[in-house]
Each structure stands twice: as C-alpha cells, then as structure tokens.
Amino acid sequence: MENWSTVIFSAERPFEEKVQQIFEYQVENNLVYRRFCEALAPDILNSGGKDISRIPLLPVKAFKDAEITAKPDEQPDRLFKSSGTSEMQRSIHRVHEARIYEQSLVEGFKAFYNLDQCVIWAYTPGYADNPHSSLIYMLQKLIDQDESGKSRFLPLANPLESSAIEEVEREGKQLILFGAAFGLLDLVELGAVRLPSNAIVIETGGMKTHRREMSRRELHRRLARGFGLDGSRIHSEYGMAELLSQAYAIGGNWFRTVPWMKVSIRNPEDPSETVPPNNEGLIGVIDLANVHSCPFLLTGDTGVMDERGRFEVRGRWNPKDLRGCNFLIDED
C-alpha cells in the first residue's frame, strides 16, 4: 500500500513528479474523474499527466452531483460538507486517511506561523455544533496543538475579555484570532477591545451576507481599526470544503500556497487554458492532499495571479455550464 503522506509532503521529490504519480492513481481509481478526462482530454490519459498544465480540472460542482472518490468501496474517515442550509444541495467531500488532512493543515499553518508560540482563538461555532465543517475541524486540530489550554473557541455574541487578553500577553504568547469576515466585524461591534500589537487576525472569507457586502480591502481596514492593530496584522485564509489544504495572505490581498498545493488562473470560456499573469479568470487548484477525492479542481472563484505566483481572490463566478460538466455523471 502506497504511503501517500510520504509522497505528498516529501520536500525532496519534485512537485511535477508527485502530480504525475497521483494523476495516474486518480485515473485508475476515480471513476468520475476518469470519465471527465476521457470526455475532455483523452490524449492526456496516454501521456500520464507529464505536462501538469494540461491535466483537466474537475469543477468543484461535481462534489454536489456525484461521489468523488478513488476509494468507492471503503467508508471515509470523515465527511465534510459545504456551508448552507439543510434544504440546499451541498458539496460532500469524502475524506479517506483523515491523518493526511491533519498533517496538511498543521504543517501548512506552520509554514506561515509559529504554532508553538501562539494561542488560537476561534470566533466560530464549535466543532460539536458543526462536525461537517472542514474549517471548524481545522480550527479544532490547531487548538489541540496548544498544550497551555488557552487556545479555544470563543462564545459567540460575547465581547472579548481584556483579562483573557492580558493573560495571553503575560504568558509571552502571540494571540491569533480566527473568524469569518462578518463574524469578526460583529465581534468588533460588541465592544472596543484593543488586541496586543503583535496579535494577528485571520479572516476566513464570507465577504457577502444578506445584510451587507464589502471589499476585502475595506473589511481589513475596519478590522484593523476595530481591534487597534496595524493593517499588516490582518490576514486571510483561503480554503473550502472541497480542498484539504489552505492558502494564506499575510497582510494584504495576495495569497501564497503550501508546497503541496499549486494554483493557476484559467480562462472561464475554456478552462484548459491558463491565462497570463495579471489577467482575471477562474482559480484552478492542484491540492495533493486531496489524493483520495480529486486533487485537480476548478473552483467557482475568480482571481488573478502576479508574476511571483501569488494569487488574489476577486469574488464568485456564476457560470451557466462549464465545459465538460455534462460528462460527470453516468447516465446508465
């Protein structure tokens, strides 16, 4: 049996080599993805994915329409579902080898932050309230890394306590506050509490609700002012139920990925085509941690990429039908 953790997280093996091996595994075992490739780019099956820019990207909508798995005969360790009400059709991500996700989220976070020296507060519902949320699962695992016991989920609709903040400072720890965009704004409105100057606020998206909508730039400005922080202390996390890795924007709008994740910007009219830097398109992702579901995904988000390989998220795209979607489901 292949040790996929070793393949995915190896620093010695080139990314392209790992992609090729996982692509071959997917084509052999993932019926939905194989059909998609056969319909969209049958020649890529013979090449074995050697040119990773030509590997077809499966629209994330497929997670709503079909069982996306390379292990159809095995029960998953975890089921993650996209946000929404019970009446909505939600994406379902079947996660085999949950330890791969845990390694991805912990090592990914450590690539950007000093996890051993921080206290994490999460202003979201707790894991018990939403066990199918990949974000809340991630936050719980990060909180579990803190042996001091000071990392925790915060009670919703309660203002921050100055005494608790002072206690974190006395321990010499850095405070990292996680939350959805408008949840953090609600927290600011509950009461003016200044965070330590070295604190970091990480917003996890959710830029639009029934109440209000604003740009990420304006959101960060309000959060910085509300928490008494320099604007560089407001960061962003990019992830979704269909991905097992995250990207982070460290003070600004430009996201960087972990080494086992690669982003490209695709032409919405022909997603097989990568657009040049500084041109807007659909965000495509290769996430090797998705080894048992599908690592090759086309998101519903628009974005741009700069010459340094960083990407910016511009918003949601509302397509009618992405090319190739009609081949996703077996009609037999």
PDB file of all heavy atoms in Angstrom, residues 123-154:
ATOM      1  N   TYR A 123     -13.460  32.496  16.613  1.00  0.00           N
ATOM      2  CA  TYR A 123     -14.786  33.079  16.794  1.00  0.00           C
ATOM      3  C   TYR A 123     -15.704  32.470  15.735  1.00  0.00           C
ATOM      4  O   TYR A 123     -16.061  33.073  14.732  1.00  0.00           O
ATOM      5  CB  TYR A 123     -14.731  34.599  16.678  1.00  0.00           C
ATOM      6  CG  TYR A 123     -16.029  35.265  17.109  1.00  0.00           C
ATOM      7  CD1 TYR A 123     -16.383  35.309  18.449  1.00  0.00           C
ATOM      8  CD2 TYR A 123     -16.896  35.834  16.178  1.00  0.00           C
ATOM      9  CE1 TYR A 123     -17.569  35.899  18.854  1.00  0.00           C
ATOM     10  CE2 TYR A 123     -18.073  36.432  16.570  1.00  0.00           C
ATOM     11  CZ  TYR A 123     -18.419  36.464  17.904  1.00  0.00           C
ATOM     12  OH  TYR A 123     -19.599  37.049  18.306  1.00  0.00           O
ATOM     13  N   THR A 124     -16.047  31.211  15.970  1.00  0.00           N
ATOM     14  CA  THR A 124     -16.934  30.454  15.082  1.00  0.00           C
ATOM     15  C   THR A 124     -17.736  29.499  15.955  1.00  0.00           C
ATOM     16  O   THR A 124     -17.412  29.299  17.124  1.00  0.00           O
ATOM     17  CB  THR A 124     -16.132  29.608  14.064  1.00  0.00           C
ATOM     18  OG1 THR A 124     -15.497  28.526  14.754  1.00  0.00           O
ATOM     19  CG2 THR A 124     -15.092  30.431  13.317  1.00  0.00           C
ATOM     20  N   PRO A 125     -18.768  28.857  15.400  1.00  0.00           N
ATOM     21  CA  PRO A 125     -19.396  27.773  16.156  1.00  0.00           C
ATOM     22  C   PRO A 125     -18.367  26.699  16.468  1.00  0.00           C
ATOM     23  O   PRO A 125     -17.386  26.519  15.737  1.00  0.00           O
ATOM     24  CB  PRO A 125     -20.473  27.250  15.189  1.00  0.00           C
ATOM     25  CG  PRO A 125     -20.738  28.399  14.262  1.00  0.00           C
ATOM     26  CD  PRO A 125     -19.434  29.115  14.108  1.00  0.00           C
ATOM     27  N   GLY A 126     -18.564  25.973  17.538  1.00  0.00           N
ATOM     28  CA  GLY A 126     -17.637  24.919  17.920  1.00  0.00           C
ATOM     29  C   GLY A 126     -17.818  23.670  17.071  1.00  0.00           C
ATOM     30  O   GLY A 126     -18.797  23.533  16.326  1.00  0.00           O
ATOM     31  N   TYR A 127     -16.866  22.740  17.184  1.00  0.00           N
ATOM     32  CA  TYR A 127     -16.907  21.519  16.385  1.00  0.00           C
ATOM     33  C   TYR A 127     -18.165  20.711  16.664  1.00  0.00           C
ATOM     34  O   TYR A 127     -18.770  20.146  15.740  1.00  0.00           O
ATOM     35  CB  TYR A 127     -15.660  20.675  16.669  1.00  0.00           C
ATOM     36  CG  TYR A 127     -15.633  19.380  15.900  1.00  0.00           C
ATOM     37  CD1 TYR A 127     -15.437  19.373  14.524  1.00  0.00           C
ATOM     38  CD2 TYR A 127     -15.841  18.171  16.548  1.00  0.00           C
ATOM     39  CE1 TYR A 127     -15.436  18.180  13.813  1.00  0.00           C
ATOM     40  CE2 TYR A 127     -15.839  16.974  15.847  1.00  0.00           C
ATOM     41  CZ  TYR A 127     -15.633  16.985  14.483  1.00  0.00           C
ATOM     42  OH  TYR A 127     -15.644  15.805  13.781  1.00  0.00           O
ATOM     43  N   ALA A 128     -18.605  20.659  17.917  1.00  0.00           N
ATOM     44  CA  ALA A 128     -19.797  19.881  18.257  1.00  0.00           C
ATOM     45  C   ALA A 128     -21.041  20.433  17.569  1.00  0.00           C
ATOM     46  O   ALA A 128     -21.989  19.701  17.278  1.00  0.00           O
ATOM     47  CB  ALA A 128     -20.005  19.860  19.772  1.00  0.00           C
ATOM     48  N   ASP A 129     -21.046  21.736  17.288  1.00  0.00           N
ATOM     49  CA  ASP A 129     -22.203  22.356  16.649  1.00  0.00           C
ATOM     50  C   ASP A 129     -22.209  22.149  15.137  1.00  0.00           C
ATOM     51  O   ASP A 129     -23.271  22.233  14.509  1.00  0.00           O
ATOM     52  CB  ASP A 129     -22.217  23.870  16.942  1.00  0.00           C
ATOM     53  CG  ASP A 129     -22.381  24.159  18.421  1.00  0.00           C
ATOM     54  OD1 ASP A 129     -23.162  23.436  19.071  1.00  0.00           O
ATOM     55  OD2 ASP A 129     -21.727  25.090  18.919  1.00  0.00           O
ATOM     56  N   ASN A 130     -21.046  21.907  14.551  1.00  0.00           N
ATOM     57  CA  ASN A 130     -20.973  21.748  13.102  1.00  0.00           C
ATOM     58  C   ASN A 130     -19.856  20.762  12.740  1.00  0.00           C
ATOM     59  O   ASN A 130     -18.812  21.152  12.226  1.00  0.00           O
ATOM     60  CB  ASN A 130     -20.736  23.103  12.430  1.00  0.00           C
ATOM     61  CG  ASN A 130     -20.998  23.055  10.934  1.00  0.00           C
ATOM     62  OD1 ASN A 130     -21.178  21.984  10.360  1.00  0.00           O
ATOM     63  ND2 ASN A 130     -21.004  24.205  10.293  1.00  0.00           N
ATOM     64  N   PRO A 131     -20.071  19.475  12.985  1.00  0.00           N
ATOM     65  CA  PRO A 131     -18.999  18.493  12.789  1.00  0.00           C
ATOM     66  C   PRO A 131     -18.650  18.236  11.330  1.00  0.00           C
ATOM     67  O   PRO A 131     -17.641  17.591  11.042  1.00  0.00           O
ATOM     68  CB  PRO A 131     -19.574  17.226  13.441  1.00  0.00           C
ATOM     69  CG  PRO A 131     -21.049  17.402  13.362  1.00  0.00           C
ATOM     70  CD  PRO A 131     -21.297  18.866  13.539  1.00  0.00           C
ATOM     71  N   HIS A 132     -19.468  18.741  10.397  1.00  0.00           N
ATOM     72  CA  HIS A 132     -19.194  18.522   8.977  1.00  0.00           C
ATOM     73  C   HIS A 132     -18.457  19.699   8.332  1.00  0.00           C
ATOM     74  O   HIS A 132     -18.250  19.710   7.122  1.00  0.00           O
ATOM     75  CB  HIS A 132     -20.491  18.258   8.209  1.00  0.00           C
ATOM     76  CG  HIS A 132     -21.166  16.972   8.610  1.00  0.00           C
ATOM     77  ND1 HIS A 132     -20.533  15.744   8.533  1.00  0.00           N
ATOM     78  CD2 HIS A 132     -22.405  16.732   9.105  1.00  0.00           C
ATOM     79  CE1 HIS A 132     -21.367  14.803   8.951  1.00  0.00           C
ATOM     80  NE2 HIS A 132     -22.493  15.376   9.316  1.00  0.00           N
ATOM     81  N   SER A 133     -18.058  20.677   9.130  1.00  0.00           N
ATOM     82  CA  SER A 133     -17.319  21.828   8.614  1.00  0.00           C
ATOM     83  C   SER A 133     -15.819  21.526   8.610  1.00  0.00           C
ATOM     84  O   SER A 133     -15.234  21.253   9.662  1.00  0.00           O
ATOM     85  CB  SER A 133     -17.585  23.067   9.464  1.00  0.00           C
ATOM     86  OG  SER A 133     -16.647  24.085   9.182  1.00  0.00           O
ATOM     87  N   SER A 134     -15.199  21.599   7.439  1.00  0.00           N
ATOM     88  CA  SER A 134     -13.757  21.355   7.366  1.00  0.00           C
ATOM     89  C   SER A 134     -12.986  22.463   8.071  1.00  0.00           C
ATOM     90  O   SER A 134     -11.936  22.210   8.673  1.00  0.00           O
ATOM     91  CB  SER A 134     -13.311  21.242   5.905  1.00  0.00           C
ATOM     92  OG  SER A 134     -13.606  22.424   5.182  1.00  0.00           O
ATOM     93  N   LEU A 135     -13.498  23.706   8.021  1.00  0.00           N
ATOM     94  CA  LEU A 135     -12.829  24.815   8.694  1.00  0.00           C
ATOM     95  C   LEU A 135     -12.834  24.625  10.204  1.00  0.00           C
ATOM     96  O   LEU A 135     -11.796  24.798  10.871  1.00  0.00           O
ATOM     97  CB  LEU A 135     -13.521  26.141   8.338  1.00  0.00           C
ATOM     98  CG  LEU A 135     -13.048  27.363   9.133  1.00  0.00           C
ATOM     99  CD1 LEU A 135     -11.583  27.667   8.855  1.00  0.00           C
ATOM    100  CD2 LEU A 135     -13.928  28.576   8.835  1.00  0.00           C
ATOM    101  N   ILE A 136     -13.981  24.264  10.762  1.00  0.00           N
ATOM    102  CA  ILE A 136     -14.067  24.097  12.215  1.00  0.00           C
ATOM    103  C   ILE A 136     -13.230  22.902  12.659  1.00  0.00           C
ATOM    104  O   ILE A 136     -12.589  22.927  13.716  1.00  0.00           O
ATOM    105  CB  ILE A 136     -15.539  23.980  12.647  1.00  0.00           C
ATOM    106  CG1 ILE A 136     -16.252  25.317  12.401  1.00  0.00           C
ATOM    107  CG2 ILE A 136     -15.652  23.583  14.110  1.00  0.00           C
ATOM    108  CD1 ILE A 136     -17.734  25.296  12.675  1.00  0.00           C
ATOM    109  N   TYR A 137     -13.203  21.850  11.848  1.00  0.00           N
ATOM    110  CA  TYR A 137     -12.322  20.716  12.139  1.00  0.00           C
ATOM    111  C   TYR A 137     -10.869  21.173  12.162  1.00  0.00           C
ATOM    112  O   TYR A 137     -10.084  20.785  13.033  1.00  0.00           O
ATOM    113  CB  TYR A 137     -12.534  19.628  11.084  1.00  0.00           C
ATOM    114  CG  TYR A 137     -11.784  18.334  11.331  1.00  0.00           C
ATOM    115  CD1 TYR A 137     -12.328  17.346  12.141  1.00  0.00           C
ATOM    116  CD2 TYR A 137     -10.549  18.095  10.745  1.00  0.00           C
ATOM    117  CE1 TYR A 137     -11.655  16.143  12.362  1.00  0.00           C
ATOM    118  CE2 TYR A 137      -9.866  16.900  10.960  1.00  0.00           C
ATOM    119  CZ  TYR A 137     -10.430  15.933  11.767  1.00  0.00           C
ATOM    120  OH  TYR A 137      -9.750  14.753  11.982  1.00  0.00           O
ATOM    121  N   MET A 138     -10.505  22.002  11.186  1.00  0.00           N
ATOM    122  CA  MET A 138      -9.144  22.539  11.133  1.00  0.00           C
ATOM    123  C   MET A 138      -8.825  23.345  12.387  1.00  0.00           C
ATOM    124  O   MET A 138      -7.777  23.165  13.016  1.00  0.00           O
ATOM    125  CB  MET A 138      -8.974  23.423   9.892  1.00  0.00           C
ATOM    126  CG  MET A 138      -7.588  24.053   9.768  1.00  0.00           C
ATOM    127  SD  MET A 138      -7.480  25.270   8.426  1.00  0.00           S
ATOM    128  CE  MET A 138      -7.898  26.764   9.323  1.00  0.00           C
ATOM    129  N   LEU A 139      -9.733  24.235  12.766  1.00  0.00           N
ATOM    130  CA  LEU A 139      -9.502  25.068  13.946  1.00  0.00           C
ATOM    131  C   LEU A 139      -9.387  24.217  15.213  1.00  0.00           C
ATOM    132  O   LEU A 139      -8.542  24.482  16.073  1.00  0.00           O
ATOM    133  CB  LEU A 139     -10.629  26.088  14.088  1.00  0.00           C
ATOM    134  CG  LEU A 139     -10.692  27.164  12.996  1.00  0.00           C
ATOM    135  CD1 LEU A 139     -11.931  28.032  13.158  1.00  0.00           C
ATOM    136  CD2 LEU A 139      -9.438  28.024  13.004  1.00  0.00           C
ATOM    137  N   GLN A 140     -10.216  23.181  15.318  1.00  0.00           N
ATOM    138  CA  GLN A 140     -10.140  22.308  16.484  1.00  0.00           C
ATOM    139  C   GLN A 140      -8.780  21.627  16.555  1.00  0.00           C
ATOM    140  O   GLN A 140      -8.179  21.532  17.641  1.00  0.00           O
ATOM    141  CB  GLN A 140     -11.252  21.257  16.433  1.00  0.00           C
ATOM    142  CG  GLN A 140     -11.283  20.327  17.630  1.00  0.00           C
ATOM    143  CD  GLN A 140     -11.627  21.057  18.913  1.00  0.00           C
ATOM    144  OE1 GLN A 140     -12.750  21.546  19.076  1.00  0.00           O
ATOM    145  NE2 GLN A 140     -10.684  21.139  19.836  1.00  0.00           N
ATOM    146  N   LYS A 141      -8.266  21.157  15.425  1.00  0.00           N
ATOM    147  CA  LYS A 141      -6.963  20.492  15.407  1.00  0.00           C
ATOM    148  C   LYS A 141      -5.844  21.463  15.760  1.00  0.00           C
ATOM    149  O   LYS A 141      -4.887  21.095  16.463  1.00  0.00           O
ATOM    150  CB  LYS A 141      -6.703  19.852  14.041  1.00  0.00           C
ATOM    151  CG  LYS A 141      -7.589  18.653  13.753  1.00  0.00           C
ATOM    152  CD  LYS A 141      -7.376  17.545  14.785  1.00  0.00           C
ATOM    153  CE  LYS A 141      -8.319  16.396  14.598  1.00  0.00           C
ATOM    154  NZ  LYS A 141      -8.140  15.340  15.631  1.00  0.00           N
ATOM    155  N   LEU A 142      -5.923  22.701  15.299  1.00  0.00           N
ATOM    156  CA  LEU A 142      -4.910  23.692  15.657  1.00  0.00           C
ATOM    157  C   LEU A 142      -4.990  24.026  17.142  1.00  0.00           C
ATOM    158  O   LEU A 142      -3.964  24.156  17.821  1.00  0.00           O
ATOM    159  CB  LEU A 142      -5.087  24.959  14.814  1.00  0.00           C
ATOM    160  CG  LEU A 142      -4.799  24.826  13.313  1.00  0.00           C
ATOM    161  CD1 LEU A 142      -5.085  26.142  12.609  1.00  0.00           C
ATOM    162  CD2 LEU A 142      -3.352  24.391  13.069  1.00  0.00           C
ATOM    163  N   ILE A 143      -6.200  24.162  17.659  1.00  0.00           N
ATOM    164  CA  ILE A 143      -6.386  24.424  19.090  1.00  0.00           C
ATOM    165  C   ILE A 143      -5.811  23.281  19.924  1.00  0.00           C
ATOM    166  O   ILE A 143      -5.184  23.493  20.966  1.00  0.00           O
ATOM    167  CB  ILE A 143      -7.883  24.644  19.397  1.00  0.00           C
ATOM    168  CG1 ILE A 143      -8.333  26.015  18.863  1.00  0.00           C
ATOM    169  CG2 ILE A 143      -8.176  24.519  20.892  1.00  0.00           C
ATOM    170  CD1 ILE A 143      -9.831  26.240  18.903  1.00  0.00           C
ATOM    171  N   ASP A 144      -5.983  22.057  19.439  1.00  0.00           N
ATOM    172  CA  ASP A 144      -5.487  20.884  20.170  1.00  0.00           C
ATOM    173  C   ASP A 144      -3.962  20.855  20.275  1.00  0.00           C
ATOM    174  O   ASP A 144      -3.412  20.142  21.131  1.00  0.00           O
ATOM    175  CB  ASP A 144      -5.963  19.596  19.484  1.00  0.00           C
ATOM    176  CG  ASP A 144      -7.464  19.371  19.633  1.00  0.00           C
ATOM    177  OD1 ASP A 144      -8.084  20.028  20.496  1.00  0.00           O
ATOM    178  OD2 ASP A 144      -8.011  18.548  18.871  1.00  0.00           O
ATOM    179  N   GLN A 145      -3.281  21.598  19.404  1.00  0.00           N
ATOM    180  CA  GLN A 145      -1.814  21.607  19.444  1.00  0.00           C
ATOM    181  C   GLN A 145      -1.273  22.404  20.630  1.00  0.00           C
ATOM    182  O   GLN A 145      -0.103  22.275  21.001  1.00  0.00           O
ATOM    183  CB  GLN A 145      -1.251  22.225  18.149  1.00  0.00           C
ATOM    184  CG  GLN A 145      -1.699  21.566  16.855  1.00  0.00           C
ATOM    185  CD  GLN A 145      -1.320  20.114  16.758  1.00  0.00           C
ATOM    186  OE1 GLN A 145      -0.159  19.748  16.921  1.00  0.00           O
ATOM    187  NE2 GLN A 145      -2.308  19.263  16.505  1.00  0.00           N
ATOM    188  N   ASP A 146      -2.112  23.253  21.217  1.00  0.00           N
ATOM    189  CA  ASP A 146      -1.684  24.146  22.290  1.00  0.00           C
ATOM    190  C   ASP A 146      -1.789  23.441  23.644  1.00  0.00           C
ATOM    191  O   ASP A 146      -2.893  23.224  24.150  1.00  0.00           O
ATOM    192  CB  ASP A 146      -2.536  25.419  22.273  1.00  0.00           C
ATOM    193  CG  ASP A 146      -2.125  26.416  23.348  1.00  0.00           C
ATOM    194  OD1 ASP A 146      -1.059  26.217  23.981  1.00  0.00           O
ATOM    195  OD2 ASP A 146      -2.868  27.391  23.558  1.00  0.00           O
ATOM    196  N   GLU A 147      -0.662  23.104  24.225  1.00  0.00           N
ATOM    197  CA  GLU A 147      -0.661  22.385  25.500  1.00  0.00           C
ATOM    198  C   GLU A 147      -0.994  23.291  26.683  1.00  0.00           C
ATOM    199  O   GLU A 147      -1.259  22.802  27.783  1.00  0.00           O
ATOM    200  CB  GLU A 147       0.708  21.732  25.708  1.00  0.00           C
ATOM    201  CG  GLU A 147       1.028  20.654  24.672  1.00  0.00           C
ATOM    202  CD  GLU A 147       2.378  20.011  24.901  1.00  0.00           C
ATOM    203  OE1 GLU A 147       3.092  20.460  25.830  1.00  0.00           O
ATOM    204  OE2 GLU A 147       2.727  19.061  24.162  1.00  0.00           O
ATOM    205  N   SER A 148      -0.977  24.599  26.475  1.00  0.00           N
ATOM    206  CA  SER A 148      -1.277  25.514  27.586  1.00  0.00           C
ATOM    207  C   SER A 148      -2.754  25.526  27.934  1.00  0.00           C
ATOM    208  O   SER A 148      -3.140  25.958  29.028  1.00  0.00           O
ATOM    209  CB  SER A 148      -0.835  26.938  27.226  1.00  0.00           C
ATOM    210  OG  SER A 148      -1.741  27.540  26.304  1.00  0.00           O
ATOM    211  N   GLY A 149      -3.615  25.090  27.013  1.00  0.00           N
ATOM    212  CA  GLY A 149      -5.048  25.100  27.255  1.00  0.00           C
ATOM    213  C   GLY A 149      -5.708  26.443  27.060  1.00  0.00           C
ATOM    214  O   GLY A 149      -6.906  26.595  27.317  1.00  0.00           O
ATOM    215  N   LYS A 150      -4.942  27.436  26.601  1.00  0.00           N
ATOM    216  CA  LYS A 150      -5.510  28.778  26.423  1.00  0.00           C
ATOM    217  C   LYS A 150      -6.147  28.984  25.048  1.00  0.00           C
ATOM    218  O   LYS A 150      -6.884  29.937  24.834  1.00  0.00           O
ATOM    219  CB  LYS A 150      -4.435  29.841  26.670  1.00  0.00           C
ATOM    220  CG  LYS A 150      -3.997  29.913  28.126  1.00  0.00           C
ATOM    221  CD  LYS A 150      -3.008  31.020  28.362  1.00  0.00           C
ATOM    222  CE  LYS A 150      -2.765  31.204  29.868  1.00  0.00           C
ATOM    223  NZ  LYS A 150      -2.324  29.952  30.520  1.00  0.00           N
ATOM    224  N   SER A 151      -5.832  28.109  24.108  1.00  0.00           N
ATOM    225  CA  SER A 151      -6.482  28.178  22.800  1.00  0.00           C
ATOM    226  C   SER A 151      -7.887  27.603  22.921  1.00  0.00           C
ATOM    227  O   SER A 151      -8.100  26.584  23.597  1.00  0.00           O
ATOM    228  CB  SER A 151      -5.677  27.394  21.764  1.00  0.00           C
ATOM    229  OG  SER A 151      -4.421  27.987  21.526  1.00  0.00           O
ATOM    230  N   ARG A 152      -8.853  28.230  22.262  1.00  0.00           N
ATOM    231  CA  ARG A 152     -10.236  27.780  22.452  1.00  0.00           C
ATOM    232  C   ARG A 152     -11.161  28.425  21.431  1.00  0.00           C
ATOM    233  O   ARG A 152     -10.786  29.380  20.740  1.00  0.00           O
ATOM    234  CB  ARG A 152     -10.721  28.156  23.852  1.00  0.00           C
ATOM    235  CG  ARG A 152     -10.640  29.653  24.160  1.00  0.00           C
ATOM    236  CD  ARG A 152     -10.838  29.918  25.634  1.00  0.00           C
ATOM    237  NE  ARG A 152     -10.578  31.297  26.001  1.00  0.00           N
ATOM    238  CZ  ARG A 152     -11.506  32.242  26.118  1.00  0.00           C
ATOM    239  NH1 ARG A 152     -12.784  31.944  25.889  1.00  0.00           N
ATOM    240  NH2 ARG A 152     -11.183  33.469  26.485  1.00  0.00           N
ATOM    241  N   PHE A 153     -12.379  27.891  21.375  1.00  0.00           N
ATOM    242  CA  PHE A 153     -13.460  28.552  20.654  1.00  0.00           C
ATOM    243  C   PHE A 153     -14.076  29.584  21.589  1.00  0.00           C
ATOM    244  O   PHE A 153     -14.330  29.299  22.764  1.00  0.00           O
ATOM    245  CB  PHE A 153     -14.528  27.540  20.223  1.00  0.00           C
ATOM    246  CG  PHE A 153     -14.113  26.680  19.057  1.00  0.00           C
ATOM    247  CD1 PHE A 153     -13.502  25.458  19.273  1.00  0.00           C
ATOM    248  CD2 PHE A 153     -14.324  27.105  17.752  1.00  0.00           C
ATOM    249  CE1 PHE A 153     -13.115  24.663  18.213  1.00  0.00           C
ATOM    250  CE2 PHE A 153     -13.943  26.320  16.681  1.00  0.00           C
ATOM    251  CZ  PHE A 153     -13.332  25.100  16.898  1.00  0.00           C
ATOM    252  N   LEU A 154     -14.306  30.763  21.077  1.00  0.00           N
ATOM    253  CA  LEU A 154     -14.900  31.828  21.883  1.00  0.00           C
ATOM    254  C   LEU A 154     -16.421  31.704  21.875  1.00  0.00           C
ATOM    255  O   LEU A 154     -17.007  31.322  20.853  1.00  0.00           O
ATOM    256  CB  LEU A 154     -14.505  33.193  21.310  1.00  0.00           C
ATOM    257  CG  LEU A 154     -13.012  33.524  21.288  1.00  0.00           C
ATOM    258  CD1 LEU A 154     -12.783  34.842  20.567  1.00  0.00           C
ATOM    259  CD2 LEU A 154     -12.446  33.587  22.700  1.00  0.00           C
TER     260      LEU A 154
END
